[in-house]
Amino acid sequence: MGRVKKSTRKFESKHLTRTLDDRKSKAKLKQQFQLREKKKKKKQQDREDGAGSDKEDADKKTKKSKSGELEVFEDMSVEQFFQGGFEIPEVKGKVGKTKTAKRKANQEEQQPADSDGSDGPDGSNDESASEDELDKHKGDLSALAEKDPEFYKYLKDNDPELLDFSIAEKDDLADVDDLSEGEETTGKKNKKGHAVDDTAEVTMADVKKWKAAMEETHSLRALRQVVLAFRAAAHGNDSEEDASQGGYKYSITNPDVYHELVLITLKNVPEVLNHHLPIKESQSGKIRVSTETKKYRTLTPLLKSHSASLLHLLPMLTDAPTQKLLLNSTLSLVPYFLTFRKFLKSFLKAVVEIWSSNSTDEATRITAFLVVRKATVIGDEGMKEMCFKALYAGFVRASRQTMVHTVQGINLMKNSAAEVVGLAGMEKVGYQSGFGYIRQLAIHLRKSITNNSKESYKTVYNWQYVHSLDFWSRVLAMHCDGLKEAQAGKESPLRPLIYPLVQVTLGAIRLIPTAQYFPLRFFLIRSLLRLSLATGAYIPLAPLIYEVLTSAEIKKKPKPSTLKPLDFAITIRAPKSYLRTRTYQDGLGEQVVELFSEFYVLYSKSVAFPELAIPTIVQVKRFMKKSKNAKLNSTLHLLVNKLDQNSKFIEEKRSKIDFAPNKREQVDSFLKDVEWETTPLGAYVTSQRKVREEKQKLLEESLREAKEREQKDRDAEEEMEIDSEDDEEEEDDDDDDIMDDDE
């Protein structure tokens, strides 16, 4: 044997094992694929052969029924006949099973094995395959009815279950009865041993019986019946789908029965499931349901049926209490739905629609959020990412329209979605999602700056973009708080996102620095103030506020106006009718004074406050000398006095210290025991906040009264319309009576 090459030895030492393993794995996958294809071909061939044999058996039976005699010796030869003597053998046709029954039994035995061996975690491949087979089977039978009506009539008379597709719904849950041994059954039975209900109409007595069985004995049979009845109730308005599927096992026509059935389903089904499939919590706090047990495999069709009914019913509900009840019921079922990833994705999308709808009741929106939050807590990393992205997308979609009636709901969505980012296990997902979304906002801003078209700024100057920036400021302020980081003993993984968010926000403020977009500037400055307060990061906001004072909108003499004051909380673009008016100028002055005080109160205890406040004090005093607006000058004069008093307060305290500015720890602990409300500037800001809160309460009360007044006027108009219609009908009746009398 010759000398082995160096490259061969290198390949054998480093890559041979991995290459062989790859070949084996590929061969194994190829073998599995071939076996799967063989099984599919075999099933298709058996189905075709079965149809042919069924037809032959049917022809034989029809011939026998016409002749009126059974040809017992049909399959016997002459030699076999004489060897057996002249004794007539017993007829076994009624005792034995036909080929169709045997094949059907084999299919029923193979069905659980096929359902257990799903390819994916949610069994989506098996579900789609079974649906395709069912559709194909329906098509074959419809074609058979056209080609051979006699054989189709024979199947309808002798094997109606083969043609009734609604029975498939019940057969999926038939294995539940095997777990209910020992429970009394009170129904009639057919020849095959299946229970037969006297009527498909659900009565109040049935509902009470199911409720008692589920509450007292946690009956699985009652659970199965309730799930089937609830499915019929959920699809009660789908007449086309109902007819296409052959109907459901139950029907509900009484509204009282419908109401009671929905109540017991939403209340008792989670309790019974939790009794038979208890939810376990590990030492690490993870919640799981043991999916390896036989009982879980048996109850899987029931869970799928119930989950599909919930998903179908949820978007159709308009009553807030019923929506809340359904979501509360789902809250305890979330651990069971984790294995059905495809369903859970669709269901969470429907729940997020309720959470982000401005027309939904606040309590219902909170309950919907709790469902998504629970899925985030107990799910894996992929589930956490899916839940947060669904929440963020729903929030952005709902924030398109911001009005006085929707701003509270938008703030609710911001706070609740921001809470999800700080949940346990969300560190990686939260940082990656935050980085991606903030980067997306930066890309939109860069395109608006580089694009010279007139409409380019609209991708930035809209409510969705502004609310997105405000949302991420809330997220970072909530989870990068210095106190929380000190309690956790480590720095938040979201802290590196502070700098890019601040840069994007400052860029958005300076994109169009005109007077018409001063409301947007004030909105974003408030979000940066919140971020600076929580994280301790210094953001130079004083120049942005002072630019408003030096603008032509405040310097020039305003026009008199009778417009109502502009609400800056729900406005990012001032209408043109407000520009250069006294109303808008007074509003800008109030906002400037408020933001100056809110900015400097953040550093009211800082050892460097006198140096920080000097530029603003000097610039504001120069402005007051030139300004002729007496109202604005008085508020600015009060602000300057408070800044001077706070500077003197800090200088007095600072004169007693004995450390240099380079001693960072001692600088940070300066006036640590003093509350900021006790400082001169802090006391002023506290009083101003109380005044603004009172104004806001009065505004909300006036809006509420106006809304009630509009509702009363609307109701009065409807009553007048009804009365006028009644009067017209009475006049028509009187005219008819007069005509009859004349005749």
Side-chain angles (χ1 to χ4, degrees):
M1 184 176 179
R3 184 179 178 183
V4 181
K5 293 183 179 180
K6 184 178 180 180
S7 58
T8 305
R9 293 198 304 271
K10 188 176 180 181
F11 176 79
E12 290 176 351
S13 61
K14 292 186 177 181
H15 305 290
L16 181 60
T17 305
R18 179 175 56 79
T19 304
L20 292 176
D21 292 339
D22 290 344
R23 289 178 181 176
K24 289 179 181 179
S25 61
K26 289 179 181 178
K28 190 175 181 180
L29 289 174
K30 186 177 180 181
Q31 185 179 7
Q32 291 176 355
F33 179 76
Q34 291 175 351
L35 288 174
R36 196 177 303 145
E37 292 295 324
K38 287 182 180 179
K39 286 182 180 179
K40 287 183 181 179
K41 291 180 180 179
K42 188 176 180 181
K43 286 182 180 179
Q44 187 175 1
Q45 186 176 1
D46 291 344
R47 195 181 297 114
E48 294 174 356
D49 295 343
S53 61
D54 287 344
K55 187 174 180 180
E56 292 176 2
D57 294 342
D59 294 338
K60 290 180 181 179
K61 288 186 178 181
T62 52
K63 289 179 181 179
K64 292 175 185 178
S65 61
K66 289 181 181 179
S67 62
E69 298 179 356
L70 292 173
E71 296 179 2
V72 183
F73 308 103
E74 184 180 0
D75 297 329
M76 297 177 63
S77 63
V78 178
E79 290 78 13
Q80 291 173 347
F81 174 78
F82 282 105
Q83 286 177 3
F86 292 91
E87 295 179 359
I88 299 176
E90 296 179 0
V91 179
K92 299 181 180 180
K94 296 181 180 180
V95 180
K97 293 184 178 179
T98 62
K99 294 181 180 180
T100 306
K102 289 182 180 180
R103 183 171 59 257
K104 189 175 181 182
N106 293 333
Q107 290 177 356
E108 291 177 352
E109 291 176 1
Q110 292 176 359
Q111 185 176 359
D114 295 339
S115 62
D116 291 340
S118 59
D119 294 337
D122 56 351
S124 57
N125 294 335
D126 289 342
E127 292 175 4
S128 59
S130 61
E131 290 176 359
D132 295 340
E133 291 179 1
L134 184 62
D135 295 338
K136 186 176 180 181
H137 190 46
K138 288 181 182 179
D140 294 342
L141 288 176
S142 60
L144 180 64
E146 298 176 358
K147 294 180 180 178
D148 196 346
E150 294 182 0
F151 180 55
Y152 185 81
K153 183 180 180 182
Y154 166 76
L155 289 178
K156 190 174 182 181
D157 296 336
N158 294 273
D159 197 358
E161 294 184 5
L162 186 63
L163 306 178
D164 190 2
F165 298 104
S166 63
I167 298 178
E169 171 190 282
K170 309 160 193 173
D171 290 341
D172 287 341
L173 309 180
D175 293 338
V176 177
D177 292 337
D178 297 339
L179 301 177
S180 306
E181 296 179 358
E183 298 180 10
E184 296 182 358
T185 57
T186 57
K188 294 181 181 180
K189 293 189 176 181
N190 58 11
K191 296 179 182 180
K192 299 186 179 182
H194 297 298
V196 178
D197 294 327
D198 294 335
T199 177
E201 179 69 25
V202 179
T203 62
M204 188 63 73
D206 295 332
V207 176
K208 291 181 178 179
K209 181 181 67 175
W210 295 338
K211 182 179 180 181
M214 293 172 68
E215 290 179 349
E216 295 172 3
T217 62
H218 299 96
S219 170
L220 284 175
R221 182 173 287 109
L223 176 66
R224 172 180 177 267
Q225 292 169 340
V226 167
V227 168
L228 289 175
F230 180 69
R231 183 175 182 182
H235 294 77
N237 296 328
D238 303 339
S239 57
E240 296 181 359
E241 182 180 354
D242 188 11
S244 64
Q245 293 185 0
Y248 297 101
K249 181 177 180 181
Y250 297 105
S251 63
I252 300 96
T253 56
N254 191 338
D256 295 333
V257 175
Y258 179 89
H259 178 72
E260 190 66 22
L261 175 64
V262 172
L263 287 181
I264 68 164
T265 303
L266 299 179
K267 180 181 178 182
N268 298 111
V269 167
E271 296 177 357
V272 178
L273 286 174
N274 192 28
H275 175 78
H276 292 282
L277 296 174
I279 300 172
K280 300 177 182 178
E281 185 174 358
S282 61
Q283 295 179 353
S284 59
K286 292 184 178 180
I287 298 175
R288 68 180 187 87
V289 179
S290 55
T291 58
E292 295 82 10
T293 60
K294 180 182 178 182
K295 184 176 286 189
Y296 178 83
R297 291 194 295 270
T298 306
L299 291 176
T300 297
L302 186 143
L303 284 170
K304 290 182 178 180
S305 175
H306 186 56
S307 61
S309 302
L310 291 173
L311 178 59
H312 184 82
L313 182 63
L314 183 59
M316 300 171 61
L317 295 176
T318 56
D319 186 26
T322 310
Q323 280 184 337
K324 185 178 178 182
L325 181 64
L326 189 146
L327 292 170
N328 275 324
S329 175
T330 309
L331 195 60
S332 54
L333 294 176
V334 172
Y336 301 103
F337 294 158
L338 285 180
T339 53
F340 312 138
R341 299 293 287 265
K342 187 177 180 180
F343 155 77
L344 193 56
K345 184 177 181 181
S346 303
F347 186 76
L348 289 176
K349 185 178 179 180
V351 173
V352 169
E353 285 289 335
I354 295 176
W355 172 77
S356 61
S357 176
N358 291 318
S359 60
T360 310
D361 182 55
E362 183 175 349
T364 307
R365 298 176 75 172
I366 294 174
T367 309
F369 168 71
L370 292 177
V371 174
V372 183
R373 184 183 185 276
K374 187 164 187 178
T376 308
V377 170
I378 66 178
D380 55 7
E381 188 173 319
M383 179 61 64
K384 294 178 189 297
E385 184 178 2
M386 183 180 72
C387 292
F388 177 72
K389 286 185 176 181
L391 288 174
Y392 187 77
F395 153 70
V396 173
R397 187 168 53 252
S399 63
R400 181 187 297 270
Q401 295 180 347
T402 302
M403 299 177 292
V404 66
H405 304 294
T406 62
V407 65
Q408 291 184 352
I410 293 173
N411 290 332
L412 174 66
M413 287 189 287
K414 289 179 185 177
N415 294 329
S416 55
E419 181 190 347
V420 172
V421 184
L423 295 176
M426 283 289 293
E427 293 82 6
K428 184 178 178 181
V429 174
Y431 176 79
Q432 290 178 347
S433 301
F435 180 84
Y437 287 126
I438 293 174
R439 182 177 179 273
Q440 189 178 17
L441 295 173
I443 291 173
H444 285 307
L445 178 62
R446 185 183 64 184
K447 287 182 179 179
S448 298
I449 294 173
T450 56
N451 193 355
N452 294 325
S453 64
K454 294 182 179 180
E455 304 295 327
S456 61
Y457 71 95
K458 290 185 178 180
T459 58
V460 174
Y461 277 22
N462 58 72
W463 272 119
Q464 290 178 309
Y465 192 92
V466 172
H467 278 306
S468 298
L469 289 175
D470 186 65
F471 167 74
W472 286 110
S473 74
R474 289 174 187 255
V475 170
L476 299 181
M478 186 181 295
H479 303 297
C480 298
D481 185 74
L483 183 59
K484 287 186 177 180
E485 290 178 340
Q487 292 176 352
K490 61 179 180 179
E491 193 177 78
S492 173
L494 299 175
R495 185 165 280 273
L497 297 177
I498 295 176
Y499 179 77
L501 178 65
V502 171
Q503 293 298 316
V504 174
T505 307
L506 293 176
I509 290 174
R510 295 186 178 278
L511 181 61
I512 301 181
T514 59
Q516 197 169 11
Y517 287 100
F518 280 162
L520 181 141
R521 174 180 297 226
F522 297 151
F523 191 93
L524 293 179
I525 286 175
R526 283 190 176 87
S527 66
L528 292 178
L529 285 173
R530 183 193 308 113
L531 183 61
S532 180
L533 173 63
T535 62
Y538 175 75
I539 306 173
L541 297 176
L544 296 175
I545 304 171
Y546 184 73
E547 285 178 4
V548 180
L549 276 180
T550 58
S551 65
E553 191 67 27
I554 288 185
K555 284 184 176 181
K556 291 187 177 182
K557 185 178 179 180
K559 299 178 294 185
S561 174
T562 58
L563 296 171
K564 63 179 182 179
L566 190 66
D567 190 357
F568 288 90
I570 57 171
T571 307
I572 58 174
R573 180 178 178 272
K576 290 185 178 180
S577 58
Y578 276 84
L579 299 179
R580 300 293 174 85
T581 61
R582 172 68 66 180
T583 303
Y584 190 50
Q585 192 179 85
D586 292 343
L588 292 179
E590 292 176 0
Q591 294 293 312
V592 166
V593 173
E594 176 188 344
L595 293 175
F596 264 136
S597 60
E598 292 290 343
F599 172 69
Y600 281 108
V601 80
L602 299 178
Y603 310 100
S604 59
K605 298 193 302 178
S606 173
V607 70
F609 182 84
E611 290 75 16
L612 186 65
I614 282 177
T616 300
I617 293 173
V618 173
Q619 289 173 342
V620 171
K621 285 183 177 180
R622 289 177 182 173
F623 172 81
M624 288 190 296
K625 289 180 180 179
K626 299 178 181 179
S627 175
K628 297 180 181 180
N629 191 335
K631 183 178 179 180
L632 178 59
N633 288 343
S634 63
T635 55
L636 289 174
H637 182 70
L638 181 59
L639 173 65
V640 170
N641 287 339
K642 295 301 178 182
L643 292 176
D644 284 333
Q645 292 176 14
N646 205 83
S647 298
K648 293 177 182 179
F649 172 76
I650 296 298
E651 288 175 354
E652 181 183 353
K653 298 291 183 180
R654 194 168 64 179
S655 63
K656 300 177 183 179
I657 62 175
D658 55 354
F659 56 85
N662 59 354
K663 304 294 182 181
R664 185 66 187 214
E665 294 181 359
Q666 295 178 352
V667 169
D668 293 338
S669 61
F670 178 71
L671 296 183
K672 192 174 184 180
D673 299 333
V674 178
E675 297 293 335
W676 68 270
E677 293 90 345
T678 59
T679 62
L681 184 59
Y684 166 73
V685 170
T686 303
S687 63
Q688 292 298 313
R689 287 179 181 176
K690 290 180 180 179
V691 173
R692 287 194 297 270
E693 288 177 1
E694 291 178 359
K695 287 184 179 180
Q696 186 66 26
K697 287 181 181 179
L698 293 174
L699 179 62
E700 291 177 357
E701 289 179 1
S702 63
L703 290 172
R704 195 181 303 111
E705 291 176 357
K707 191 175 182 180
E708 292 176 357
R709 199 181 307 113
E710 290 177 0
Q711 185 65 31
K712 288 181 181 179
D713 295 340
R714 198 178 298 114
D715 295 340
E717 290 178 359
E718 291 178 357
E719 290 179 359
M720 291 177 63
E721 290 178 358
I722 293 173
D723 293 339
S724 62
E725 290 177 359
D726 294 339
D727 294 339
E728 291 177 359
E729 291 178 358
E730 291 178 359
E731 291 177 359
D732 293 340
D733 293 339
D734 294 339
D735 294 340
D736 293 339
D737 294 339
I738 293 171
M739 292 176 65
D740 293 339
D741 293 339
D742 294 341
E743 291 176 358

